[in-house]
Amino acid sequence: MLVKEVMTTTVISCSLDDNLEDVLVLMADKGIRHAPVVEGGKLAGLVARRDALEFLYQQASLDAAHLTDWLFRSDARY
């Protein structure tokens, strides 16, 4: 069996400047888990849905932790 017999020929790609959440929506809509990242017509990398979701989750957790710290500081005024 050859790679060309099983490969995807209609490739959904993104660029370095695309919004990550938009790319995740596109990936979900198309039912794909990985998308090549293209810059200047050349492969720059690969974005995986799981890695992107984990990154956004960590960012949200950090934001929530920062907000919690700020809200419950002793000098915070309500």
Side-chain angles (χ1 to χ4, degrees):
M1 179 174 288
L2 302 175
V3 170
K4 68 180 180 180
E5 296 172 320
V6 296
M7 71 180 195
T8 299
T9 56
T10 310
V11 178
I12 304 295
S13 64
C14 59
S15 74
L16 293 170
D17 296 322
D18 285 342
N19 179 285
L20 184 57
E21 292 178 26
D22 293 341
V23 172
L24 283 169
V25 169
L26 178 64
M27 292 170 78
D29 289 346
K30 299 295 182 181
I32 58 175
R33 292 178 291 173
H34 303 87
V37 181
V38 179
E39 179 181 27
K42 294 188 177 188
L43 182 64
L46 188 71
V47 63
R49 183 171 56 189
R50 179 179 174 172
D51 293 342
L53 288 171
E54 285 179 3
F55 174 79
L56 291 176
Y57 175 77
Q58 288 173 353
Q59 291 298 111
S61 295
L62 290 174
D63 290 345
H66 178 72
L67 181 59
T68 300
D69 289 345
W70 181 83
L71 284 173
F72 295 105
R73 285 189 331 217
S74 61
D75 62 340
R77 302 288 179 239
Y78 301 101

